[in-house]
Amino acid sequence: MIPKVNEFFFPSVAGDYYEIMAMQARIVIMFLIGLEMDFPYLIRNLRPVSIIAGSSCLMCTFFAIAMTSFIYDVTDSHDHAVIMGTIITVVLANTSSPIVVRLAADLKISTSDVGRMAISSSLLGDFYAVILLVIVTASRKHYSGMRWVLLGILYFIIVIAVIILNAHLAKWLNRRNRNQKYLRNTEVLCLLAIVFVTATGLETMGFSSIVACFLIGLMFPRGGKATRTLLIKLTYAVHNFILPVYFGYSGFRADLTSIDSLAKFFVVFVVILLSFGGKITGTLAACSHLKIPLNEGVLIAFLMNLKGHVDILTIGIAAQDRKANPLFCNLMISAIVLNSLIWGLIITFMVRRESDILGYRHIAFESQSPDSELRLLTCVHGPRSVGTMVGLIAASKSSESIPVAAHLMHLIELPEKTNTNLMYHQKEIDEISDDDEYGGNDVVEINEAVDIFTAETGIMIHQVKVVSPLVSMYSDVCEWAEDTRASIIILPFHKYQRIDGKLESGKEGLRTTNQKILRHAPCSVAILVDRGLTAGASHVSGSESLQHVATLFFGGPDDREALGFSKRLGMHHHINLTIIRFLPTPARRELVGVNFDTKEKDILMAIPDSENDADAGVLTDFYNRYVTSGRIGYVEKYVENGAETASALRDMADMYAMFIVGKGGRAQSPPTIGLSDWEECPELGTVGDFLASPEFDLSGSVLVVQQFRPSKSEKNDP
């Protein structure tokens, strides 16, 4: 470091002040990481995450033991060799979880399996480094072994007590601010004060507060105004100010001028090389055991090699306590900073180069297992359709063991007089108030509905508010769907139901937005025609009533996608799903009731056209898996033309709470001929438009599904 710069930024009298500020920054950073952490994912994947983190840390420990004596001699150290070996182990084995979290978010892989695996593994690597940090700091206070054990027990008692206190306090604050958008600033300050006081007390006891702050944030009650306000208040400040300043401060501490000889340069080179070697060897061995692809394993290993958190803290404490000489500390900090700079650039290059493999790739519902993770992006323009939307989310979670990542996006039109495109994510101080210009009281009603739903079902819904002109709103929705790797986007129909039961058109711009999303979406899209009667009843998770849902199958990719999505609903114990398949008959219409004795060859013979071979395969597999077991009903209706199809649909209008149907993509067939003569909304498809038409007296909602349609450039990609 340049001497004058060093004197300006690090005067001798400011050392303690900087350390206190760094500690406060660590507290906020780790609390926010815990608050943002996908805890259910960590629990589901604890075994593979532990194997990856444990294997990489173990290899780094072996390498640290092997090189300790060499570094001890080169740096001419006269300190305790065990302490130096422990510090080297921390330097090699530590993974900076804040840097991994931030880099994964910037590269848009934080929601991918690779990104989430790397983030979770880095946190466990941090825990290992913190345990070694305790060994380094143990001699600060000359306590006996039993005293340390008792203090350790007290440490966990304090953390558990704070977690319980936060749980009750958050619930009380949520009830107290029932009619408010967010908590008041004083209430937020009280919540943060509890964290700061606890962390400072643990630091005074001689322990690092890193793990405690993470656990307090991780176990903070999800959902409600307390969590929502904390995320809004902290995310912007931490990601855009605290995190850069904290790691900038760490980088400034690297004195590269200390590398003034070939031997010292060789020490830094060996530390960087062995750090990478330990991470890549251990991680790839673990990934090979877990059957993780090689390219993903390499990326995880590179992410696990990012440093600059617990390791720098450990070196700083050792330097203050004179457990290591200044030359050794300077060389280690230089190695840490150079390591993160080098591998950060390599990771960025690798992710962009492998974007086709590591990027978002949609998997159709017809190919998905109903036990796989479901990622939903639901959109609302106001509180009217929130009830049905969250009910549909609950119905899609067929059992408690199936993970659901649900996002609710509140779409708000930006007034024409404002020429800015505001993506609402964080606002400062007075900007967050009940007089907020965008959203008005709708935000309060939506938040309240989501909070009640989360409390009743335990399903966490991530909320986001988008404020943009209607002409470009579709791009925000599509970008968010790609960032969150959504399986399907569910949009509200531009018409809403009046008190008399008729559908009334909203703004024409809403319809245009839906049409643009259908064209540009990176995943499947569904439009929900909300009749209103299912809004309350669709909270099936908290109701003992049985909901009847029908999936109409005419053939084609969209109908197959609707069938794939509906099988998730069919697994729900409060939903009675019936698949109604329409088939042409040459002479007359014949109704075939539920027939569980239909054989596989009968279904195959019903589709003689080679165009529908995919339909035959999907239906055969669906029938054998779900219909023969009696979990889902199956009905075949033979019709001669569209008029008979319309008549059959009218007969079943009052039998089901919801109809699910594909938008189109099917070849023209007798069951749909004539239905499109008076088509009003092409975005719903032939059948969906008929079900939503004013002439059709239907009491249930309608969900029209369109399968993802890749662009021509995507089709031509090898």
Side-chain angles (χ1 to χ4, degrees):
M1 182 183 294
I2 302 173
K4 290 187 177 180
V5 175
N6 186 32
E7 293 176 4
F8 179 79
F9 283 102
F10 299 99
S12 57
V13 296
D16 292 340
Y17 170 76
Y18 282 151
E19 289 301 321
I20 292 174
M21 294 302 296
M23 183 189 72
Q24 303 297 331
R26 284 194 300 272
I27 292 172
V28 177
I29 291 169
M30 294 309 298
F31 176 71
L32 180 62
I33 289 177
L35 202 61
E36 293 179 326
M37 184 65 189
D38 189 352
F39 185 58
Y41 176 85
L42 181 60
I43 295 299
R44 292 195 310 270
N45 297 276
L46 188 59
R47 177 181 171 272
V49 166
S50 301
I51 291 174
I52 292 173
S55 179
S56 64
C57 290
L58 186 63
M59 290 301 300
C60 289
T61 302
F62 289 152
F63 287 164
I65 294 172
M67 70 180 293
T68 297
S69 60
F70 166 72
I71 296 179
Y72 191 86
D73 294 335
V74 171
T75 57
D76 193 24
S77 297
H78 302 286
D79 306 301
H80 205 291
V82 174
I83 296 298
M84 176 175 283
T86 305
I87 295 172
I88 296 173
T89 303
V90 173
V91 171
L92 297 187
N94 177 59
T95 300
S96 179
S97 54
I99 295 181
V100 175
V101 170
R102 185 60 183 169
L103 185 60
D106 289 343
L107 297 176
K108 297 185 177 181
I109 59 172
S110 59
T111 56
S112 66
D113 289 336
V114 177
R116 291 188 292 178
M117 189 74 70
I119 291 172
S120 302
S121 300
S122 69
L123 286 166
L124 294 187
D126 260 353
F127 291 171
Y128 176 71
V130 168
I131 294 173
L132 298 179
L133 173 62
V134 172
I135 298 176
V136 175
T137 58
S139 58
R140 265 188 170 187
K141 298 181 182 295
H142 303 285
Y143 295 152
S144 62
M146 181 57 66
R147 182 78 175 271
W148 276 111
V149 172
L150 294 176
L151 287 175
I153 295 174
L154 179 61
Y155 177 99
F156 287 104
I157 291 176
I158 292 173
V159 172
I160 293 172
V162 172
I163 290 173
I164 296 174
L165 174 63
N166 279 341
H168 290 286
L169 185 59
K171 291 180 181 178
W172 179 74
L173 290 174
N174 290 337
R175 291 194 303 268
R176 185 169 184 255
N177 296 275
R178 184 176 297 275
N179 296 322
Q180 306 295 324
K181 291 182 184 179
Y182 310 102
L183 301 186
R184 298 177 179 86
N185 289 339
T186 52
E187 295 168 338
V188 175
L189 182 61
C190 289
L191 290 173
L192 293 178
I194 294 174
V195 179
F196 276 100
V197 170
T198 303
T200 305
L202 295 176
E203 294 277 352
T204 305
M205 291 167 54
F207 292 99
S208 171
S209 61
I210 290 175
V211 175
C213 294
F214 172 76
L215 291 176
I216 292 171
L218 185 68
M219 302 307 294
F220 197 89
R222 294 300 192 264
K225 295 177 179 62
T227 304
R228 189 180 301 115
T229 307
L230 285 172
L231 286 172
I232 291 173
K233 289 283 190 180
L234 295 179
T235 302
Y236 185 83
V238 170
H239 289 170
N240 294 278
F241 177 70
I242 297 176
L243 204 61
V245 170
Y246 175 70
F247 288 109
Y249 165 70
S250 300
F252 263 120
R253 296 176 61 182
D255 187 3
L256 299 181
T257 59
S258 61
I259 311 175
D260 55 4
S261 67
L262 184 61
K264 295 174 183 177
F265 174 80
F266 187 68
V267 169
V268 174
F269 175 76
V270 169
V271 170
I272 295 175
L273 183 63
L274 291 184
S275 174
F276 170 69
K279 292 295 184 181
I280 196 75
T281 305
T283 303
L284 289 183
C287 290
S288 176
H289 172 71
L290 297 170
K291 311 299 182 185
I292 296 175
L294 179 61
N295 61 332
E296 296 182 3
V298 171
L299 179 58
I300 293 174
F302 284 6
L303 287 168
M304 292 286 288
N305 198 39
L306 295 172
K307 303 185 182 301
H309 189 212
V310 181
D311 41 13
I312 289 183
L313 175 62
T314 305
I315 294 171
I317 291 175
Q320 288 178 2
D321 295 347
R322 297 182 180 179
K323 297 292 179 62
N325 65 36
L327 175 61
F328 170 76
C329 294
N330 285 332
L331 292 179
M332 291 299 103
I333 291 178
S334 299
I336 291 168
V337 173
L338 292 174
N339 178 86
S340 293
L341 287 174
I342 293 170
W343 295 112
L345 294 174
I346 292 175
I347 291 168
T348 303
F349 172 77
M350 179 181 177
V351 170
R352 290 176 179 172
R353 182 169 176 247
E354 301 290 336
S355 59
D356 292 341
I357 299 174
L358 300 173
Y360 174 65
R361 300 182 72 87
H362 174 70
I363 300 177
F365 278 106
E366 65 175 281
S367 305
Q368 287 185 20
S369 166
D371 296 329
S372 62
E373 183 180 27
L374 176 63
R375 306 187 71 86
L376 288 164
L377 174 58
T378 57
C379 301
V380 296
H381 297 284
R384 182 182 292 110
S385 57
V386 172
T388 303
M389 286 291 187
V390 298
L392 191 58
I393 293 173
S396 303
K397 185 178 174 64
S398 52
S399 70
E400 294 297 327
S401 60
I402 296 177
V404 174
H407 298 259
L408 181 71
M409 179 175 279
H410 184 193
L411 305 176
I412 301 173
E413 179 186 5
L414 185 68
E416 293 182 359
K417 63 181 180 180
T418 308
N419 57 3
T420 59
N421 189 349
L422 172 65
M423 181 72 171
Y424 181 94
H425 50 292
Q426 304 92 7
K427 290 188 177 181
E428 295 292 332
I429 313 172
D430 294 333
E431 289 183 322
I432 298 180
S433 67
D434 294 326
D435 297 324
D436 187 6
E437 179 182 357
Y438 302 111
N441 292 328
D442 286 355
V443 176
V444 178
E445 296 183 39
I446 292 173
N447 290 348
E448 187 67 19
V450 171
D451 293 344
I452 293 174
F453 170 80
T454 301
E456 291 179 352
T457 63
I459 300 175
M460 180 65 186
I461 296 181
H462 306 276
Q463 292 177 254
V464 62
K465 185 166 71 172
V466 173
V467 183
S468 69
L470 287 176
V471 69
S472 62
M473 187 176 287
Y474 76 96
S475 64
D476 292 329
V477 176
C478 294
E479 287 175 8
W480 191 265
E482 187 170 358
D483 291 346
T484 58
R485 300 173 185 261
S487 305
I488 188 171
I489 302 172
I490 302 179
L491 304 169
F493 192 42
H494 68 278
K495 295 183 179 181
Y496 60 92
Q497 190 175 39
R498 300 183 313 200
I499 298 178
D500 60 2
K502 301 297 182 181
L503 291 177
E504 181 174 330
S505 295
K507 290 185 178 180
E508 185 63 25
L510 303 182
R511 180 185 181 185
T512 305
T513 299
N514 288 351
Q515 293 171 340
K516 289 180 179 179
I517 294 173
L518 286 168
R519 288 196 299 269
H520 299 284
C523 60
S524 297
V525 182
I527 296 180
L528 175 65
V529 182
D530 185 9
R531 298 284 184 178
L533 296 181
T534 56
S538 42
H539 289 279
V540 291
S541 294
S543 171
E544 295 300 325
S545 61
L546 188 66
Q547 301 297 314
H548 297 274
V549 178
T551 298
L552 309 179
F553 191 91
F554 293 85
D558 291 346
D559 278 353
R560 293 196 300 271
E561 191 74 352
L563 184 69
F565 178 74
S566 61
K567 67 186 175 186
R568 290 180 177 268
L569 277 65
M571 297 297 99
H572 200 287
H573 56 283
H574 283 178
I575 290 182
N576 180 17
L577 177 66
T578 303
I579 308 301
I580 304 174
R581 184 180 175 199
F582 288 83
L583 293 168
T585 181
R588 61 187 179 86
R589 175 176 60 86
E590 177 181 351
L591 175 64
V592 180
V594 179
N595 182 8
F596 294 115
D597 297 325
T598 303
K599 297 181 180 179
E600 178 179 334
K601 64 180 182 180
D602 295 329
I603 296 179
L604 290 172
M605 291 176 63
I607 310 177
D609 198 326
S610 59
E611 175 73 17
N612 293 325
D613 286 344
D615 294 344
V618 169
L619 278 172
T620 300
D621 180 70
F622 186 91
Y623 188 91
N624 292 333
R625 284 174 179 264
Y626 307 109
V627 178
T628 55
S629 63
R631 287 185 289 180
I632 295 177
Y634 178 79
V635 173
E636 289 182 351
K637 288 186 178 292
Y638 290 86
V639 293
E640 188 170 347
N641 50 42
E644 292 190 0
T645 300
S647 177
L649 292 175
R650 287 190 177 94
D651 291 341
M652 65 180 76
D654 296 326
M655 297 171 58
Y656 301 99
M658 177 175 286
F659 290 88
I660 304 175
V661 66
K663 177 191 172 211
R666 62 181 78 89
Q668 187 67 269
S669 61
T672 58
I673 292 177
L675 282 180
S676 60
D677 291 347
W678 297 278
E679 191 173 61
E680 181 183 357
C681 301
E683 65 270 22
L684 296 180
T686 303
V687 179
D689 180 70
F690 176 76
L691 294 175
S693 64
E695 292 78 15
F696 190 72
D697 188 13
L698 181 67
S699 60
S701 297
V702 180
L703 187 69
V704 181
V705 181
Q706 173 186 280
Q707 190 179 65
F708 168 60
R709 292 187 170 93
S711 63
K712 292 182 179 180
S713 60
E714 290 174 316
K715 289 180 180 179
N716 295 330
D717 287 342

